[in-house]
Amino acid sequence: MATYVISDIHGQYDMFMELLEKIPLKDSDTLYILGDVVDRGPHPIKTLQKLKEMPNVICMVGNHELMALRCLKLLMTADAQSVFGLDEEDRKDLWMWQYNGGLSTFEEFRELDAEEQQEIIEFMSDFLVYEEVSAGGRDYLLVHAGLGNYSPEKEIEDYSLEELMWMRADYNVRYFDDVIVVTGHTPTQQIKDNPNPGVIYKKNNHIVIDCGAHYPGGRLAAICLDTGEEYYSSPQS
Ligand SMILES: [Mn+2]
């Protein structure tokens, strides 16, 4: 009944498969994926298809799934003529997605037949926004990016998607005394004054597990919440 968490796979299918060989994942265990499965890396759709067939995986949504879902739906309904006629908001969203590495997702998605495309859209649409879990006698909140505009008075359901998916967590603030917040989104290489970049980061009841799988030297990481044990893929070349 162990609980494992991985985040920000970003299309790194081979790293994910390597990590799965290292994690002693049993059928009775649960693996949570904290969002940003898609974009940047070479095989976002192949990774989604793998996750989809794993019975003990629960996926949460990241800002990249939000972008991909919106843009893929847009492109699926648009013929060439209507792409040119897209309104400003749609054009900006498409551009923003491509700017953030959406091309690899688009390229793999367009190779699927219509039924497979629909399955991928439906799979991503079912991703959870956040999850509260208990493991090893402690309580955890699993969410992609963090609690933007944090306030101790605010309930988790009062946060907007923007605040949970895009805005970066403040690791200098202890959000809860009795709940550890597990996030991805910010590679630990990007955390200011972090003495161990590329390693899972723990501070003030935060655990940050994005170890920058798409960076040169970055890795895909997993943590077992019951034991605190950490697992890493080989570094990105
Ligand atoms: Mn993200």
Side-chain angles (χ1 to χ4, degrees):
M1 293 282 282
T3 303
Y4 297 89
V5 196
I6 295 177
S7 190
D8 294 76
I9 300 173
H10 278 306
Q12 300 292 350
Y13 177 82
D14 292 344
M15 281 182 161
F16 178 56
M17 295 309 288
E18 184 197 348
L19 202 49
L20 282 184
E21 280 177 21
K22 295 184 177 180
I23 300 172
L25 189 69
K26 297 194 293 287
D27 288 347
S28 55
D29 298 336
T30 305
L31 171 60
Y32 287 93
I33 305 293
L34 267 192
D36 283 5
V37 176
V38 300
D39 298 348
R40 302 198 200 283
H43 298 300
I45 301 296
K46 196 175 171 187
T47 309
L48 286 175
Q49 287 173 326
K50 172 66 186 173
L51 291 170
K52 193 166 157 292
E53 73 185 30
M54 293 175 68
N56 49 350
V57 163
I58 297 175
C59 291
M60 264 153 296
V61 67
N63 55 309
H64 283 266
E65 280 78 30
L66 293 180
M67 286 188 283
L69 266 175
R70 165 143 166 71
C71 293
L72 288 172
K73 285 181 188 170
L74 202 62
L75 292 166
M76 283 167 82
T77 54
D79 58 26
Q81 199 62 41
S82 63
V83 171
F84 282 111
L86 288 174
D87 67 28
E88 189 182 354
E89 197 180 333
D90 289 345
R91 290 200 310 275
K92 274 187 180 166
D93 284 352
L94 278 175
W95 188 87
M96 176 81 168
W97 183 44
Q98 291 308 301
Y99 176 78
N100 280 289
L103 186 61
S104 65
T105 306
F106 173 74
E107 290 295 347
E108 264 195 329
F109 186 82
R110 69 201 280 265
E111 297 300 323
L112 303 177
D113 65 34
E115 191 181 335
E116 292 168 328
Q117 288 184 340
Q118 197 52 42
E119 283 172 9
I120 288 293
I121 295 289
E122 283 170 17
F123 180 55
M124 275 199 283
S125 301
D126 286 341
F127 284 14
L128 306 177
V129 174
Y130 63 89
E131 183 82 317
E132 292 161 302
V133 298
S134 297
R138 285 177 299 271
D139 293 328
Y140 295 88
L141 171 64
L142 313 181
V143 64
H144 177 65
L147 305 179
N149 299 317
Y150 166 79
S151 156
E153 283 84 42
K154 222 158 141 179
E155 300 290 333
I156 178 71
E157 53 271 16
D158 296 334
Y159 287 88
S160 67
L161 278 181
E162 169 85 15
E163 288 169 332
L164 298 177
M165 300 302 145
W166 280 98
M167 295 178 74
R168 301 202 184 275
D170 187 348
Y171 315 119
N172 293 316
V173 177
R174 192 182 185 89
Y175 289 159
F176 310 106
D177 288 329
D178 47 0
V179 178
I180 298 169
V181 181
V182 184
T183 50
H185 189 56
T186 302
T188 62
Q189 291 90 335
Q190 281 187 11
I191 297 173
K192 196 170 174 282
D193 300 327
N194 178 10
N196 295 305
V199 174
I200 289 172
Y201 179 86
K202 297 177 181 176
K203 187 179 178 185
N204 290 329
N205 275 356
H206 286 274
I207 300 178
V208 190
I209 61 169
D210 178 1
C211 292
H214 62 283
Y215 284 5
R219 301 181 294 177
L220 191 63
I223 188 166
C224 176
L225 296 182
D226 306 78
T227 62
E229 191 160 350
E230 302 173 8
Y231 304 85
Y232 295 93
S233 73
S234 307
Q236 177 69 257
S237 51

